[in-house]
């Protein structure tokens, strides 16, 4: 039986009901009971209440207290009143409890996770649309407006345009990796480096133009700082190793400008790493010795190694070489959709061992069974998310939607405003797997963990000297286009490999790698 608590600051009707509730062992809201009792209880109903209380407790001293504001009644009448009123009072208490509960209980939704921790999307290609549509002139870009029906940026005119600030806010996005991408088929061995600098520049210009909404972020902890400031943390990723032109100095300069991940390839092979389309050509290519040096230098810098777009063998090679967790910024599950852009079970297990992350892509061409991409919806994306979570755990999956990089999105995820619908659907349909706490991991905690571990490796390697290797002449000679656009002094002779990595370790010399590096789309 619940203890009796006297509430001298509430009305006598409210106190009478509370005494009965206490006798019945029910826990009710004091203030709600008082309001209800004063508004709805008659004197006769209060007699029922007092009688029931006496009938239960048979303690005259407390019973007298109950009757203070009603009237004195004899014991016989009270027992009769109490017996007759038992059902009525129980119903009253239930009504009060239900009424109070309906006013105070909040239904938990999956999107509540996005209020608790920033949603971090691993890949958005808006900067490429800025280049293609307005030549990076951000003064002509009204990012602050809903562009859904804009004459240039609206969906009727731009099939790959899904992003603006109002829709990002509606989508509860907490942080975004904006991608500096240039087409490898058009720029590799030509002006890829220069164009990539321009794309980094336009991202930084966009962030500066909207200081009330965007905050430039280069460190893991600052993602949460931006979130607390009510701003969208804005980070930079470079999509494709062709953007560094096989030059470690360019890689380091990108890092200094704020780049925090680089995808090792796009759809073209580089002289040192093969892209995912090589899987369809059934070749057995891999990460060359110089490619391994690039991965190690990224570890030393604190730049995340992104394995989306690379061949399966490069995935495995990089996972074996990397001293820090890796990421797939926008890839999905190969077991669900057998596309070379996705991650198979063997690689997934390696990602878990590496403590990395796979950020699921929404593009129907990568997630739908062959020939069915027009029928994709939220459930299709959920299937990939759940597969990875069930296969290797909820700690190794994230979101990398690929908005503005593709011309189609699943139904229900039509633009960047729709993330909450995905999280609501995960929680509603799979609450055992996707509690709010686990949805916070999916949203951003997993990516922040990876980012912090990459920074920790960087800090532990602070005494390591930068790698000064040049790519070997032999590797470059395999690429016909290189000799027409590269300074002959850079390719005339192999470079000596003398860089000391630590006092006790040296970089292995870049011997000829026998794997093919021919460009294949």
């Amino acid at each position: 039986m619940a203890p009796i608590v006297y509430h001298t600051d509430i009305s006598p009707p409210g106190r009478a009901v509370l005494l009965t509730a206490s006798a019945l062992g029910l826990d009710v809201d004091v203030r709600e009971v008082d309001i209800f009792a004063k508004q709805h209880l008659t004197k006769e109903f209060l007699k029922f209440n007092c009688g029931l209380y006496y009938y239960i407790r048979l303690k005259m001293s407390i019973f007298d207290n109950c009757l203070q504001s009603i009237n004195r009644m004899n014991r016989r009448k009270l027992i009769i009143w109490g017996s007759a009123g038992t059902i009525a009072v129980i119903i009253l208490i239930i009504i009060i409890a239900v009424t109070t509960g309906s006013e105070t209980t909040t239904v938990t939704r999956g999107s509540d996770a996005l209020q608790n921790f920033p949603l971090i999307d691993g890949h958005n290609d808006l900067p490429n649309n800025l280049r293609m549509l307005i030549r990076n002139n951000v003064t002509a870009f009204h990012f602050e407006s809903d562009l859904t029906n804009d004459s240039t940026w609206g969906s009727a005119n731009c099939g790959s345009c899904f992003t603006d600030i109002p829709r990002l806010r509606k989508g509860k996005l907490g942080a975004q990796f904006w991608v500096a991408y240039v087409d490898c088929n058009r720029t590799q061995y030509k002006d890829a480096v220069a164009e990539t600098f321009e794309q980094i520049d336009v991202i930084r210009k966009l962030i500066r133009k909207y200081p009330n909404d965007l905050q430039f972020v280069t460190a893991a902890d600052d993602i949460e700082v931006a979130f607390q400031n009510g701003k969208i943390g804005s980070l930079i990723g470079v999509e494709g190793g062709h953007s560094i032109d096989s030059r470690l100095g360019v890689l380091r300069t990108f890092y200094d400008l704020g780049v925090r991940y680089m995808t090792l390839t796009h759809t073209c092979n580089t002289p040192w790493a093969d892209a995912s389309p090589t899987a369809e050509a059934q070749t057995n290519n891999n990460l060359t010795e110089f490619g391994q040096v690039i991965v190690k230098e990224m570890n030393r810098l604190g730049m995340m190694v992104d394995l989306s777009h690379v061949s399966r063998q490069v995935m495995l090679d990089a996972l074996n070489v990397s001293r820090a967790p890796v990421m797939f910024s926008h890839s999905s599950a190969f077991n669900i959709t057998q596309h070379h852009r996705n991650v198979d079970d063997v690689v997934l297990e390696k990602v878990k061992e590496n403590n990395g992350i796979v950020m699921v892509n929404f593009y129907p061409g990568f997630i739908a069974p062959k020939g069915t991409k027009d029928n994709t919806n939220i459930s299709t994306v959920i299937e990939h998310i759940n597969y990875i979570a069930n296969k290797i755990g909820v700690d190794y999956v994230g979101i990398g939607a690929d908005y503005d990089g593709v011309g189609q999105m699943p139904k229900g995820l039509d633009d960047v405003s729709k993330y909450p619908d995905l999280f609501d659907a995960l929680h509603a349909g799979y609450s055992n797997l996707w509690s709010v706490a686990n949805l916070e991991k999916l949203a951003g905690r997993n990516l922040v963990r990876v980012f912090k571990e990459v920074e920790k490796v960087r800090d532990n390697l602070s005494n390591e000297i930068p790698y000064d290797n040049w790519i070997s002449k032999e590797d470059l000679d395999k690429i016909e286009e290189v000799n027409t656009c590269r300074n002959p002094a850079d390719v005339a002779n192999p470079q000596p490999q003398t860089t000391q990595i630590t006092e006790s370790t040296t970089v292995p010399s870049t011997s000829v790698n026998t794997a093919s590096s021919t460009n294949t789309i």
Side-chain angles (χ1 to χ4, degrees):
M1 190 171 291
I4 301 301
V5 179
Y6 290 99
H7 298 274
T8 57
D9 57 340
I10 67 171
S11 66
R15 187 158 57 248
V17 175
L18 281 172
L19 287 167
T20 299
S22 178
L24 292 171
L26 299 176
D27 184 17
V28 295
D29 185 282
V30 173
R31 296 300 166 195
E32 293 295 334
V33 164
D34 190 29
I35 292 169
F36 185 90
K38 285 190 292 187
Q39 291 178 347
H40 301 289
L41 297 190
T42 64
K43 181 175 179 180
E44 294 306 312
F45 203 97
L46 288 172
K47 290 179 183 178
F48 294 163
N49 188 73
C50 292
L52 175 64
Y53 182 73
Y54 175 76
Y55 184 73
I56 294 169
R57 296 287 299 213
L58 294 177
K59 289 188 178 179
M60 195 64 187
S61 60
I62 300 176
F63 168 70
D64 285 341
N65 183 70
C66 179
L67 284 178
Q68 285 179 34
S69 303
I70 307 174
N71 60 282
R72 295 289 179 181
M73 302 178 67
N74 62 47
R75 182 174 300 193
R76 180 184 179 85
K77 285 185 177 182
L78 285 170
I79 292 174
I80 295 172
W81 279 117
S83 300
T86 298
I87 295 175
V89 174
I90 290 174
I91 292 172
L92 167 67
I93 298 298
I94 291 172
I95 290 172
I96 293 173
V98 170
T99 302
T100 303
S102 66
E103 294 176 354
T104 60
T105 300
T106 302
V107 176
T108 301
R109 300 171 65 90
S111 55
D112 293 345
L114 309 185
Q115 300 293 119
N116 304 335
F117 198 85
L119 167 61
I120 306 166
D121 187 293
H123 198 93
N124 186 299
D125 279 297
L126 171 66
N128 186 57
N129 281 337
L130 292 172
R131 185 180 191 88
M132 295 296 102
L133 294 176
I134 56 174
R135 297 186 176 183
N136 286 352
N137 179 13
V138 296
T139 59
F141 182 52
H142 299 289
F143 201 30
E144 73 281 4
S145 302
D146 187 330
L147 301 173
T148 304
N149 299 310
D150 185 81
S151 59
T152 300
W153 299 91
S155 56
N157 306 292
C158 177
S160 64
C161 295
F162 305 100
T163 306
D164 53 54
I165 288 175
R167 284 182 286 178
L168 287 170
R169 292 299 197 182
K170 185 178 178 181
K172 299 184 179 181
L173 191 75
Q176 180 68 66
F177 277 93
W178 304 108
V179 176
Y181 160 76
V182 298
D183 183 1
C184 61
N185 294 291
R186 180 176 55 82
T187 66
Q188 185 166 222
Y189 313 123
K190 297 174 184 176
D191 52 2
V193 173
E195 289 197 14
T196 304
F197 276 126
E198 290 174 340
Q199 293 311 101
I200 294 170
D201 176 64
V202 76
I203 294 168
R204 293 175 62 116
K205 286 193 300 181
L206 185 69
I207 296 167
R208 284 195 298 270
K209 184 180 177 183
Y210 294 97
N212 295 328
D213 295 289
L214 307 179
Q215 182 171 324
F216 189 40
V217 169
T218 60
D221 285 339
D222 289 343
I223 293 174
E224 292 181 72
V225 172
F227 184 65
Q228 292 162 4
N229 291 339
K231 300 180 182 181
I232 298 169
S234 295
L235 305 96
I236 303 175
V238 165
E239 187 175 20
H242 64 283
S243 285
I244 65 170
D245 194 31
S246 303
R247 301 175 191 269
L248 290 169
V250 175
L251 177 70
R252 286 188 283 269
T253 304
F254 283 171
Y255 183 85
D256 290 342
L257 290 173
V259 174
R260 289 300 177 265
Y261 80 64
M262 184 178 76
T263 319
L264 296 188
T265 73
H266 193 245
T267 57
C268 310
N269 295 344
T270 69
W272 44 270
D274 290 331
S276 64
T278 60
E280 293 186 341
Q282 296 183 339
T283 56
N284 185 28
N285 300 318
N286 56 16
L287 190 68
T288 71
E289 196 165 352
F290 184 73
Q292 294 175 27
V293 170
I294 288 175
V295 170
K296 290 177 181 178
E297 181 67 356
M298 292 174 73
N299 294 160
R300 190 195 67 81
L301 288 169
M303 184 185 291
M304 285 178 279
V305 176
D306 178 20
L307 300 181
S308 289
H309 281 291
V310 305
S311 69
R312 180 179 185 274
Q313 189 59 50
V314 171
M315 294 177 191
L316 294 170
D317 289 347
L319 281 159
N320 287 332
V321 170
S322 181
R323 299 169 289 181
V326 305
M327 69 186 299
F328 287 79
S329 67
H330 57 309
S331 296
S332 300
F334 185 86
N335 187 271
I336 301 298
T337 305
Q338 286 73 51
H339 192 287
H340 57 76
R341 278 283 282 103
N342 292 333
V343 187
D344 71 23
D345 287 359
V346 173
V347 177
L348 284 176
E349 293 293 347
K350 292 288 186 181
V351 170
K352 181 176 182 179
E353 293 174 14
N354 169 265
N355 217 18
I357 186 172
V358 177
M359 307 180 82
V360 171
N361 193 311
F362 294 179
Y363 175 51
F366 297 158
I367 64 173
K370 191 172 183 179
T372 63
K373 71 175 187 176
D374 291 337
N375 298 322
T376 56
N377 53 35
I378 288 180
S379 296
T380 316
V381 175
I382 288 175
E383 188 176 9
H384 283 264
I385 292 172
N386 284 350
Y387 183 84
I388 296 170
N390 286 319
K391 185 68 179 178
I392 60 174
V394 296
D395 294 326
Y396 308 100
V397 61
I399 301 295
D402 210 2
Y403 284 114
D404 282 53
V406 294
Q408 182 182 4
M409 279 287 162
K411 295 178 179 67
L413 293 170
D414 312 86
D415 58 41
V416 295
S417 71
K418 302 298 185 180
Y419 294 108
D421 294 345
L422 171 63
F423 280 74
D424 286 342
L426 282 165
H427 184 64
Y430 308 91
S431 57
N432 289 338
L433 179 63
W434 293 113
S435 63
V436 170
N438 282 347
L439 286 170
E440 289 176 21
K441 293 181 178 182
L442 174 69
R445 289 193 186 277
N446 291 341
L447 187 279
V448 168
R449 171 187 55 76
V450 169
F451 198 173
K452 287 183 176 180
E453 291 182 25
V454 168
E455 291 175 330
K456 184 178 180 180
V457 170
R458 173 203 63 194
D459 295 342
N460 290 338
L461 296 174
S462 60
N463 293 326
E464 184 172 281
I465 298 171
Y467 286 79
D468 287 329
N469 305 54
W470 285 13
I471 191 168
S472 72
K473 180 179 183 297
E474 289 83 359
D475 279 348
L476 291 175
D477 281 346
K478 289 182 289 186
I479 309 299
E480 183 177 341
E481 299 95 324
V482 172
N483 290 327
T484 63
C485 299
R486 203 176 186 95
N487 186 337
D490 291 349
V491 298
N493 298 293
Q495 296 298 316
Q497 307 302 318
T498 58
T499 301
Q500 292 286 85
I501 301 309
T502 65
E503 292 183 0
S504 60
T505 307
T506 58
V507 180
S509 62
T510 54
S511 59
V512 179
N513 189 286
T514 58
S516 170
S517 301
T518 305
N519 280 334
T520 304
I521 306 305

